[in-house]
Amino acid sequence: MCPGRCARIVGLILIPLAVIALGASVTLLFPNGETEYLMDQHISWEALFLPGLWGSGFMMFVSVIYSGLAIAASVTCFGTSCLGLINGPLCLFNSTLSNKTQVQLWGYPFFNRNRSNGAKSYLYDHSLWAICERPKNVIPWNMVLFSCLMATSSLEALLCTVQIINGLVGCIFGRC
């Protein structure tokens, strides 16, 4: 395949992936479509980082020129999204203080969860999802959108690698 034709095909595939990543990243800011959690600053740092906006969205539109930087941005988007899944969402949950008093806290109830005693990850144990009281359904919300960001950033990194190889082949062997 000619390098120019390959670049057009890769470019056409990257554009919808960038749009999907942009949409998923912005949507993470509004659990259940509600603005109150963003206004009250109850959104996880991974979502506020907007990995799909700059990492998988904006950088894909200039990937022909900055393919290497776009790969680094995609890898960063992937890593941040992985952390978003591993750490779990920022949510309102019940906690017991040292004096056995029950309080509601905003925090990361699944962060550093002790797995050495055989405890399952919240990702696999759906009974743990009830721990997060607000925003409602924040766990599946984050899981779907961060997974979407991981998938799009992986595809973008792969396609940008193809673009770099295609550019090198075009430089060495000419247009067609």
Side-chain angles (χ1 to χ4, degrees):
M1 178 184 294
C2 292
R5 190 173 180 194
C6 181
R8 279 192 299 275
I9 291 169
V10 169
L12 288 173
I13 295 171
L14 283 172
I15 290 171
L17 288 174
V19 171
I20 290 168
L22 288 166
S25 197
V26 171
T27 304
L28 274 167
L29 299 176
F30 306 102
N32 297 321
E34 300 172 25
T35 60
E36 73 177 274
Y37 302 107
L38 180 61
M39 301 301 252
D40 294 339
Q41 299 178 355
H42 293 138
I43 301 292
S44 68
W45 74 266
E46 295 92 354
L48 288 172
F49 197 59
L50 293 170
L53 182 66
W54 62 268
S56 284
F58 173 72
M59 289 307 296
M60 292 309 112
F61 290 112
V62 292
S63 66
V64 174
I65 300 167
Y66 300 110
S67 290
L69 186 57
I71 290 171
S74 293
V75 168
T76 303
C77 177
F78 183 88
T80 303
S81 299
C82 282
L83 282 175
L85 284 177
I86 292 167
N87 294 340
L90 176 72
C91 66
L92 185 68
F93 66 100
N94 291 318
S95 182
T96 306
L97 300 177
S98 58
N99 64 1
K100 306 234 189 283
T101 306
Q102 285 276 335
V103 294
Q104 285 196 316
L105 300 173
W106 281 95
Y108 297 88
F110 308 110
F111 184 72
N112 281 339
R113 190 166 162 46
N114 188 359
R115 289 184 189 89
S116 61
N117 62 1
K120 283 187 178 179
S121 167
Y122 80 98
L123 294 169
Y124 305 108
D125 189 352
H126 294 233
S127 66
L128 295 174
W129 292 11
I131 290 172
C132 285
E133 294 185 7
R134 290 186 56 212
K136 187 175 168 112
N137 298 319
V138 70
I139 294 173
W141 183 269
N142 277 13
M143 286 174 64
V144 167
L145 294 169
F146 278 131
S147 296
C148 178
L149 288 171
M150 289 169 61
T152 57
S153 62
S154 297
L155 284 171
E156 289 168 348
L158 176 67
L159 290 170
C160 286
T161 302
V162 168
Q163 190 131 327
I164 289 172
I165 293 168
N166 181 54
L168 290 173
V169 168
C171 286
I172 295 169
F173 298 109
R175 292 210 141 230
C176 269

